[in-house]
Structure formats: C-alpha cells, structure tokens
Amino acid sequence: MTATIKAKKSNNLAFPQGIKRYGLKGILNLIFRPLPTLEAYRNRYGDIYYSPAFSSFPPFIVVSNSEGVEALFTADPDLFNSGTSNAAFQPLLGSQSILQLDGEPHKKRRKLLMPSFHGQRLQTYGEIITNITQSIISHWQKEDIFSMREVTQEITLSVILQAVFGITQGNNYQSLRKQLGRYLDLFNSPLYTSTLFLPILQKNWGTWTPWGNFIAQRDKVYELLSQEIDKRTTTKDGEDILTLLLSVIDEEGEHLTKSEVMSELMTLLFAGHETTASALAWAFYWIHFHPEIYHNLKDELDTIDLDTDPMEIAKLPYLSAVVSETLRIYPIALFAFSRTLTTSWEFMGYSLDKGMSLAPCIYLVHHHPDIYPNSKQFKPERFLERQFSPYEFIPFGGSNRRCLGYALALYEMKLVLATVLKQVNLKLVSSQPILPVRRGFTMSPQGGVKMQVI
C-alpha cells in the first residue's frame, strides 16, 4: 500500500513527494517486478520522489531526470558519503571494498586501482579477451544449443581471472572457476535473490537453508582466493591487479590487509564479471532478435579481419552503438550508487537534511521520454544520430563513483561480439521476446538467451 506524503516546507523549499511506506506487496514488486514498479512510481510522483526505507536500504530520493543527475554528479563529492549507503552489498563483497569507502580512503583506493583498467593495460587485455573467446567457440558444433548467458559468464570470468587477477591455467584456476560459477548461479533462484533484500531471511541455520548455503559457498570462494593470495605474497611477480594490491604501500608504510585485498577481489568479480556477462547475453539477444541490426553489424564487421588491432575494433561506430543501446534499454544495475548527505543541501528546488540519500535511477533516466523517444524500442541509431551527455546516458554511474572498470567492460563486450559474429552463425531458439529478471542485485535476461549454432 502506498500513499502520497505532503510536501513539507523548510526555508521556503519543499520536500519531494513520494511513498509513505512499503508494504509487503510493494517490497516484493521492487524485488521481482522492478521495471514496471519504478515506472509507476515515476508516473505518480514525478522525476524526483521520496522512497522510504526497506530491507537494508535507507530512505532515499530517487532521481530520474538528466537535470537532477547533472546537479548530483557535478556537486562537490565531499557533500556526500556513499560507503554507508552500500551496506546491502557487504554479505557479497565484505566490509572493506572500495564500495564501502568514503572520503580520502576512497580517493586513495580509486587512484590505486584506476591504471589497471585504462590505457596501455587495455591493449594488453585485448589479446587475452579474444584468445579466451576463440577457445570457447572452437568447441561449438553445428546444431549445438546453449545458454548464451552461461557462455558469456565463462568468458568474462576467465578474463577476470587471467587478465585482472593474473590467475592462469592450473588446479587453483579450475577450482576457483567452478566454485565461482556455483556461487554466482545461486542468484538464478528467486529465493536466494530474496535473501539479499530481506534481512529476516539472512539466518544461517545450516547449509540446508538458503542463507546458510550462500555463506558456505561464499566461504569456499574465500578459501580459494586466500590460497591464491598466500601464494602470490611469496612470489610477487606479475603486472595484474592482485600483484598491485599486494605490493602497494600507503603513506604510513603499511600494506593492504588480506581482508582488504579479499574485499577488492570480490568486488571486481561482481562488478567486472557478473555485470558484463549479462550485458553480453543481452547484446547477442538484441542483435539476433532484429535481423536488420544483425545485417548492419555484419556489414561493418566485414570491414575488419581477425588480425585487426583490437583497439581499432573497439572504435567501430555501429558496434559501439549496439553496445551502448544494449546498456541503455535494460541496464544491468537499475541504480547508480546513492549519495548520503553530510550536511543539509538545496537540490533541484528541494530542501534536504543531513543524512538523506539520493540515488540516480539508471533505468528511468534511460527511458525518459524527453531524452529517448520510443524508449522501449531497441534502436542503436540513437547513438549515431546524437551524442548523449554523461547525465543522459549513465550505465556506469558518474562522478567520483563511476564504475572503475567501465572502459574494460565496453572493450570486452565489443571484442567478444566481433570475435563470435565474425566466425559463427547463430540464431535464437525462440522468437518470443525475452524480459529481464532479477539475478541478485542485477538484472539478467530471463532463461539465459537460448541460442543455436547454424
């Protein structure tokens, strides 16, 4: 049940209208039917509205227009804390990841990690991405049917393990890959997804219960990562991010603790692998669901060969437009990280008190009729006809909380699509439209996108 709250006057400025409280039905709608639910709230309350606390999420202001996003992203970052707003991620990522940091510690950690995802490092990752993709598609046979989401998960997980973690083929690599797959696949289940949003279900009564099994699977991942950290602490060779995390020394002459390193590895696994896998599965779906888009993209890919510089492939305009439209229409994360005010603030004509959080809704911004007419239509040409501002197209968030790995994610998507489409003909097993469903905190294509080699 919902009710409108009346605007409260403070210094002649109003407080945003919005939802009074969430009943059980409202919470379940947000978990399992988030897209129509968010659109209904926006239609009822406007582009900026109040959302009360639910689950482990504090009360916050939903921001769903580009003007509000611009005001938020261009404000002084010191006005906000974000780590405190990300408490819901702690069971997945630990308590010491960059997502939980604020202020100077966040700036230092971000500065430390940034070079690993940009510039020359991308060039190095290109060969790894294409080789991994080639290896996987080399096993496909004509008439094979498979879940594209499972294939893209295998690709992106291998890329993270090899390129970012520096973990190569071997017993620990295979064990970690299999265990991570089992762990991440828990969130294909609505029951396991519910546990992340409903603290009342977060009770460890043994491995026969959802939360107990989640903890057990997570601890197995932690143990394998711990073994790799111990091994790498003694060798200290390599240019990957794990080596970087283990070798860095702060201003006080201290190394990152093992717990801090573990939290960052788990963050990279979820933010850099799980999200890209779903986005790639969506891209294969849209490309094959619309024959004209498939043919347009194939015509462009005919201008390159498999020996073309990966950085040049990443610049192909129609390929880039397809990737951007994929990230627009069903963004993997529905919200950018929220910001919690450290002081009172006047925002877009509203008066907000210290402690209030603001959250840009990526999905609603990407479907704003003033920015994207016919927003439910998959139309890559949007991104060829005009350039959208960083407040109109925000799949990776923005400001000092923009996803660190955005350049790698875009690069990986383009190279995987080009490598597969240049060599293999595929078709969708079903002509029925595919809808997004919850997979933990992210949105993924329902059924995993069943495809067949032809």
Side-chain angles (χ1 to χ4, degrees):
M1 175 177 157
T2 61
T4 309
I5 58 172
K6 294 181 179 179
K8 295 180 283 189
K9 293 292 182 180
S10 175
N11 299 325
N12 297 319
L13 295 175
F15 186 80
Q17 293 188 355
I19 302 142
K20 184 176 182 180
R21 69 177 182 86
Y22 290 116
L24 179 60
K25 181 179 179 181
I27 292 173
L28 292 177
N29 280 338
L30 281 172
I31 296 174
F32 296 113
R33 298 183 66 252
L35 306 190
T37 301
L38 289 169
E39 290 179 326
Y41 288 145
R42 200 251 294 274
N43 292 339
R44 187 181 306 171
Y45 301 118
D47 288 329
I48 298 173
Y49 66 88
Y50 173 76
S51 174
F54 78 97
S55 178
S56 53
F57 295 92
F60 61 93
I61 306 298
V62 176
V63 181
S64 65
N65 60 357
S66 60
E67 296 84 1
V69 171
E70 181 174 9
L72 193 57
F73 285 177
T74 57
D76 183 350
D78 291 336
L79 282 172
F80 314 104
N81 284 331
S82 286
T84 54
S85 304
N86 293 328
F89 296 102
Q90 188 166 323
L92 287 173
L93 311 179
S95 61
Q96 300 183 67
S97 98
I98 189 172
L99 301 189
Q100 267 80 46
L101 300 180
D102 282 305
E104 197 59 32
H106 176 260
K107 291 178 185 176
K108 289 180 179 178
R109 189 73 60 83
R110 191 174 176 87
K111 184 178 180 181
L112 166 70
L113 296 171
M114 182 74 78
S116 295
F117 297 99
H118 297 272
Q120 184 58 41
R121 295 305 302 163
L122 283 186
Q123 186 81 35
T124 304
Y125 297 150
E127 185 176 353
I128 295 174
I129 294 167
T130 53
N131 286 345
I132 288 170
T133 306
Q134 290 274 20
S135 175
I136 289 172
I137 67 176
S138 69
H139 295 96
W140 291 353
Q141 302 291 325
K142 196 170 183 179
E143 308 299 330
D144 280 354
I145 295 177
F146 51 83
S147 163
M148 183 55 78
R149 178 60 179 71
E150 292 179 4
V151 170
T152 57
Q153 177 166 310
E154 185 177 357
I155 292 171
T156 58
L157 180 55
S158 296
V159 169
I160 285 288
L161 290 178
Q162 293 185 37
V164 182
F165 290 4
I167 303 174
T168 53
Q169 297 290 342
N171 291 336
N172 200 38
Y173 173 87
Q174 295 298 336
S175 298
L176 188 53
R177 190 167 66 84
K178 290 177 182 177
Q179 181 56 40
L180 278 166
R182 284 194 290 266
Y183 177 51
L184 296 171
D185 283 342
L186 290 176
F187 302 109
N188 284 330
S189 160
L191 182 58
Y192 280 93
T193 290
S194 299
T195 63
L196 295 176
F197 290 90
L198 301 173
I200 193 172
L201 299 178
Q202 296 178 5
K203 307 293 184 184
N204 186 355
W205 288 321
T207 56
W208 61 274
T209 62
W211 193 251
N213 189 35
F214 162 75
I215 296 299
Q217 297 294 335
R218 184 194 66 184
D219 288 348
K220 289 179 182 177
V221 173
Y222 277 15
E223 177 59 30
L224 290 169
L225 287 176
S226 177
Q227 293 173 14
E228 189 65 29
I229 290 170
D230 291 342
K231 183 173 72 175
R232 299 287 286 283
T233 301
T234 58
T235 58
K236 292 185 179 179
D237 59 345
E239 298 179 353
D240 53 86
I241 199 167
L242 176 53
T243 301
L244 175 67
L245 289 169
L246 292 172
S247 62
V248 69
I249 300 175
D250 64 20
E251 295 171 355
E252 286 73 40
E254 299 291 332
H255 288 278
L256 293 178
T257 66
K258 189 173 185 178
S259 177
E260 289 173 324
V261 173
M262 189 83 75
S263 286
E264 292 304 346
L265 294 183
M266 293 301 291
T267 302
L268 291 169
L269 281 167
F270 274 91
H273 146 61
E274 181 74 356
T275 53
T276 308
S278 289
L280 267 169
W282 274 123
F284 278 106
Y285 163 71
W286 287 116
I287 290 165
H288 291 85
F289 191 72
H290 294 287
E292 72 280 7
I293 292 173
Y294 174 81
H295 291 301
N296 288 342
L297 183 54
K298 285 282 283 184
D299 287 345
E300 182 177 73
L301 293 176
D302 284 343
T303 66
I304 63 167
D305 57 42
L306 295 177
D307 295 324
T308 301
D309 183 346
M311 297 300 282
E312 292 303 311
I313 295 174
K315 295 176 184 177
L316 292 173
Y318 197 75
L319 176 62
S320 298
V322 167
V323 167
S324 293
E325 182 70 344
T326 297
L327 296 171
R328 180 200 70 81
I329 194 166
Y330 288 143
I332 306 305
L334 298 181
F335 284 86
F337 293 127
S338 61
R339 277 83 163 157
T340 301
L341 286 166
T342 58
T343 183
S344 58
W345 193 40
E346 294 182 5
F347 168 74
M348 298 295 292
Y350 297 109
S351 178
L352 305 179
D353 293 333
K354 177 182 177 180
M356 179 54 66
S357 296
L358 299 98
C361 182
I362 300 172
Y363 176 78
L364 291 179
V365 171
H366 286 184
H367 287 270
H368 201 290
D370 293 346
I371 309 171
Y372 301 102
N374 302 313
S375 69
K376 300 299 191 297
Q377 178 186 358
F378 188 83
K379 184 183 174 186
E381 289 74 17
R382 297 177 201 275
F383 290 87
L384 300 176
E385 294 165 356
R386 62 165 286 194
Q387 183 172 347
F388 295 95
S389 78
Y391 319 113
E392 296 171 324
F393 181 59
I394 56 170
F396 301 102
S399 187
N400 68 324
R401 290 283 168 171
R402 188 182 192 187
C403 172
L404 271 171
Y406 76 90
L408 175 58
L410 293 172
Y411 189 50
E412 184 173 356
M413 287 183 70
K414 294 171 186 178
L415 293 187
V416 171
L417 289 170
T419 302
V420 173
L421 295 173
K422 283 286 290 181
Q423 300 174 81
V424 184
N425 292 321
L426 300 168
K427 71 174 184 178
L428 294 169
V429 170
S430 171
S431 60
Q432 293 299 309
I434 294 177
L435 298 176
V437 293
R438 279 276 185 197
R439 183 179 163 96
F441 289 116
T442 65
M443 303 302 294
S444 188
Q446 188 174 31
V449 187
K450 290 289 190 296
M451 303 200 76
Q452 183 174 29
V453 180
I454 57 175

